[in-house]
Amino acid sequence: MKKILSIILLTLMTGCSLFFSGKDAYERQVALSEELLVADEHNHHVEDHPLGDIEITSEDFEWLVYELSGEKYSGRGIGQEGGVNSSKQMLEWFEYFHLTESWLEEFEVLLGTKSVESELKYDSKSFEKEIDFSPINYTADGNVEGKAWFLGYGIAENESDWNDWVDAEGNKINLEGGIAIMALGLPDVEEDHPLNLRENRRLGMLRYKTQVAKEHGASAALFIYLGSDNPGGLIDIGGTIRWGASSLPIGLVTSEVYTEIFDDAADWDKPIKSKKSPSENTLSFSTKVELDYVTAFNVIGYLDSGKDKTFVVGGHKDHMGTNSSGEVYWGADDNASGTAGVLELANYYSHMPAEERPGNFYFMLFDAEEMGLLGSRYFTNNNPEIMEKLDFMLNLDMVGRYSDNEKILMGGINSSEIFESDEFWSELTALNENLNFEKSTFGDGRSDHAPFIDKGVPAMFIFTGIHDDYHTPADTPDKVDYEGLEEIGKFSISLLDLIASTMESKTPHSEKVAPYTGEEEGDEVMPADGWRSWFGSMPDYADSGDSGYLIGGISKESPAEKAGLQAKDRIIKINTTEIKNLEDFMYALNKYKPGETIKVKFIRENQEYEVNLTLESRQDR
Ligand SMILES: [Zn+2]
């Protein structure tokens, strides 16, 4: 088999100098592709193979990055043709490298809301969707009928001397299944008013107001937008059901709907006060959400070397794809560069005699990283027998701009004791004298190495820094530094050699692992206000049900870890508050201060458990 392979490689190599040297060559190659249908034993075609030789070269990188971030895959978006086809192509490349095994790992991803059927009716008058009202895309399903109440800004803060939820006698208003109508945002108050404090940012948030309304007996919540661009009108409120559905049916209504219901034209410029009585007639509001699920694909290859150590070389293959107005986010640096690195290393090691390799290798190209590390989380949660074997994971994410800063940033450095020794770093320096690299904690929780660290696998993250083109359509292949990529490819090889020679197999990972720096507990759902407590979990964004808050990952040394919580635990109660989803969880958490101990009830493998958890301060973490 090896022999046949080298003959094929020879055939390819004669072509490579002609056809595989960069963009121009790529264009020529496309033109000539008809003439180049040279099949190997797997019946693949030469034009599918960028890797004419097994050396790490800037030409290979250039070919790959142009290929991956070109028209063919249009930004490798989840659920888009380019995303699916690029996965298939990568699998073909893995197969072409004759890895021991390679496969696609499929998983479902919730993209968002496809559509919401919705009706709003007051007494006998039906309102028109998208003219008088619009459901919010992360609304709960529901069919609600009840009296409407207007609650001003929906703020219930006695400490701030502003409570829209008390009646004229100062008693708490209970809507008893009615529908709350509230103004969005915060009132325009004097600078020294307590509501002006930064700590109160959450009070202006739609999700927070919804929770306050629910707490006061509302069965649905409608909002009036008062922004100066379109006061009293409809706007696109943003947000996504991927961060969890709302706990109630929610929507926007125009000020005309308000007038119709309350027979009153409010003065929307003044700080708005709540009405102390419900509408005369019944308001009915219904919502029916259709969710948009797509299939995503991790591309996995295994190269057995008969060694006792096993490494992962990985990176995310997806990018943001093509948006609704047709703009393509090419993602050349993010992360065609790292994908090319994984492919180039897979090619390199697969053609090296097994005994010379530093270990067995898994090559992993993750999907849906841009949506919150979904692919790598899926892999690490669903392949325990592989996870068990791993000694080290190397993550390449955005490695294409070395020339920008002349610096390689290395994250994950707290994930193993061996990275703490000066000797390790001086040896790495000696092996790479021409390169500049430094330890960094930037992005520690924000890329695909993090789920591995979570599971106790030491991991490193290599990247060349953020730039102005990051997550814009201007991240194009012409701006990528291909000489730098070649250097980073070689640097990775020296790093893996060094780790293989330094690391005892199954070196116990350091207990001192850097905590997550972002995306914990859905910061998107509610902001981290001043005193907000640290719990230390990440949501499983693939979960959209209302049967509890499903944990996707736990931060090291966090209150959640100390309390013994794990990924896949489903939290159903905090103290006496029932938790149906992420929004409920965030709201419940917001009530407790650092240092307070809460009871957390959760389900693990169909069994209910309860633990005490002492919240810590976000600042101290
Ligand atoms: Zn990105």
Side-chain angles (χ1 to χ4, degrees), residues 42 46 81 105 120 146 160 174 196 202 206 223 236 260 264 277 312 362 412 436 462 467 535 541-542 545 550 601:
H42 281 185
V46 161
E81 219 181 299
E105 180 181 50
L120 182 70
S160 309
N174 190 320
N196 232 345
R202 71 186 188 286
L206 197 150
F223 297 90
D236 179 6
E260 186 77 35
D264 170 31
S277 54
V312 176
Y362 281 95
N436 216 343
I462 293 186
H467 42 79
F535 186 92
Y541 284 113
L550 183 63
K601 198 178 218 177

Side-chain angles (χ1 to χ4, degrees), residues 316 319 334 369-370 398 470-471:
H316 73 92
H319 192 55
D334 183 12
E369 186 269 356
E370 301 287 11
M398 298 179 66
Y470 172 71
H471 282 202

Side-chain angles (χ1 to χ4, degrees), residues 315-590:
H316 73 92
K317 58 149 295 259
D318 66 306
H319 192 55
M320 296 155 74
T322 309
N323 71 11
S324 52
S325 41
E327 254 182 321
V328 181
Y329 288 67
W330 307 101
D333 181 33
D334 183 12
N335 185 30
S337 66
T339 303
V342 175
L343 289 164
E344 188 74 345
L345 288 170
N347 187 30
Y348 173 80
Y349 284 119
S350 66
H351 296 109
M352 175 186 273
E355 58 278 10
E356 287 172 27
R357 296 178 205 137
N360 311 311
F361 281 97
Y362 281 95
F363 299 100
M364 302 190 183
L365 293 166
F366 302 109
D367 219 344
E369 186 269 356
E370 301 287 11
M371 295 173 78
L373 319 185
L374 299 189
S376 50
R377 278 223 182 274
Y378 185 87
F379 184 88
T380 55
N381 281 336
N382 290 284
N383 294 277
E385 64 298 329
I386 294 177
M387 293 303 294
E388 186 58 28
K389 287 195 282 181
L390 301 180
D391 292 284
F392 174 72
M393 191 269 181
L394 177 66
N395 177 30
L396 305 173
D397 191 359
M398 298 179 66
V399 287
R401 300 281 189 116
Y402 182 69
S403 53
D404 281 15
N405 306 305
E406 299 276 326
K407 210 184 275 171
I408 299 172
L409 298 168
M410 300 184 69
I413 45 162
N414 296 323
S415 65
S416 168
E417 278 155 15
I418 69 163
F419 309 146
E420 282 168 22
S421 88
D422 293 339
E423 213 183 310
F424 177 87
W425 293 99
S426 53
E427 275 185 52
L428 192 61
T429 309
L431 290 167
N432 297 281
E433 276 177 331
N434 52 336
L435 277 179
N436 216 343
F437 55 90
E438 64 183 49
K439 302 179 204 176
S440 163
T441 52
F442 183 89
D444 254 0
R446 293 179 182 272
S447 188
D448 292 314
H449 56 296
F452 287 84
I453 294 179
D454 264 10
K455 298 272 181 192
V457 178
M460 268 190 183
F461 163 49
I462 293 186
F463 105 121
T464 51
I466 291 284
H467 42 79
D468 289 348
D469 304 322
Y470 172 71
H471 282 202
T472 74
D475 180 7
T476 49
D478 55 303
K479 293 173 187 148
V480 166
D481 170 16
Y482 296 101
E483 303 296 325
L485 267 174
E486 181 182 320
E487 293 303 325
I488 286 168
K490 292 173 178 167
F491 175 76
S492 303
I493 289 165
S494 74
L495 176 68
L496 288 161
D497 281 340
L498 181 61
I499 287 171
S501 63
T502 315
M503 186 178 266
E504 296 281 314
S505 188
K506 286 268 150 240
T507 299
H509 73 281
S510 163
E511 285 306 310
K512 234 181 75 220
V513 171
Y516 278 110
T517 50
E519 299 197 60
E520 258 186 12
E521 291 142 24
D523 284 336
E524 305 89 346
V525 174
M526 281 178 204
D529 281 356
W531 52 263
R532 204 181 99 196
S533 304
W534 185 35
F535 186 92
S537 71
M538 288 192 49
D540 183 334
Y541 284 113
D543 185 64
S544 71
D546 59 0
S547 48
Y549 160 60
L550 183 63
I551 296 179
I554 297 285
S555 294
K556 293 290 167 194
E557 294 187 344
S558 65
E561 191 192 57
K562 290 171 193 166
L565 290 167
Q566 300 171 0
K568 288 188 173 177
D569 287 346
R570 192 179 283 281
I571 296 178
I572 52 172
K573 214 172 215 180
I574 287 189
N575 286 347
T576 55
T577 309
E578 263 186 64
I579 306 297
K580 288 192 158 175
N581 53 31
L582 175 60
E583 189 185 280
D584 285 352
F585 173 75
M586 295 298 297
Y587 183 70
L589 211 58
N590 248 310

